[in-house]
Amino acid sequence: MKSQATLPDALTVSGTNLEHARSHNRRAVLETVRLNRQLTRADLARLTALTPQTVSNITAELLDAGMLLAGSPLRDGARGQPAVPLSVNPDGAYSMGVHLDHQGVIAVVSDLSGRVRARAERALPQATPAAALPLIDQLRDELRRESGLDWSRLLGAGFVMPGPFGVEGMTSVGPTTLPGWEEIDGRALSRALGIPVLLQKDATAAAIGERLYGMASQLRNFVYLFVGTGLGAGLFLDGRLYTGGRSNAGEVGHMIVAPGGRACECGNRGCLERYVSLQALYETLGLADGALATPEHLAGLALDGDGERWLDSAAEPLRQAVNILESLLDIEAVVIGGLLPPRWLNALVRRLHPLPVSIRHRDGERLRLGSAGRDVVALGAAALPIFDEFNPQYEVLLKNGRA
Ligand SMILES: [Zn+2]
């Protein structure tokens, strides 16, 4: 799949214009209300550092479009107008999330509060574009029918698959990436599915889901380590997603943590994901390439000798990775989640203690368990159109007002 950038970095300058500021402020207001469940305009002005006039304009627009709901006025007893508590209207907008990987497709539709309203799943052993796109088309129709939701309020779809994307000479083949998607970009997917589609790597999408709805909602600086077939990371720095120059930031699976260690498809030796990934676990258990190489099968396995052996081989490289990430980024926490079944994930995280001393405090907060399990990426995918402040569908919904 192609990365988003089209110009050399040196020729692009990020600008701030009025339109950008407006979209950004609108997202900030929606996010702040969502995080706090219920806020007055005065609270919002305080928490977002926007002027009362700007808050008033934005909330009027969002109320008009049905994305915010106004509660009964609160009496403050003293002076001025009574304060009206605002909350997010779950039915203000919807979003579809698609997770494609080596085993199949999971698709969900979620509402503005992040609640899943419908879910569909299909096995797909050959996840090529020719096989996957017609299937996803069917799933979209199925979700639309079964959810009974007003599809005109759909903000779009997030489409997620394993990375890295479009790195010449590195992992365009191999067991942890999908073949045949090199020439597919968001525009091609939007055309194929007839709805606006945002494309993202699994780790980044899962991190966005964790930030919007999960345990990372209060963290401004964190790295989300996603244990999937391979290993990737989503980086939130200063409250913003950091994706890098070619959308491949966070490809920590190919950080070398064991020089001269296990050979990797990328051509190097000792890459982190050769130790910490479902693929590495499958290999240790003698399941690689077989029909039993699935998270569902792992979920039913006892954590015995071979499992312990994998935990031992994964723990030290992962401790080293945590140390590198903390030292480099001064993050509040490393959140670990992904497709690894929760029992295995818990055992892995426990095995990492004690962590090496670092610039961070020596406490349990440095490592946190993120969401895990089958739907975590699809949920993150559904968060993409909601998280994207420049999503043009926001403008459409705001212009059309209440449904
Ligand atoms: Zn590698």
Side-chain angles (χ1 to χ4, degrees), residues 170-171 253-255 264-274:
M170 181 181 172
T171 48
H254 296 283
M255 282 195 319
C264 182
E265 294 280 343
C266 74
N268 293 327
R269 282 185 169 275
C271 293
L272 182 59
E273 75 172 26
R274 295 298 295 116

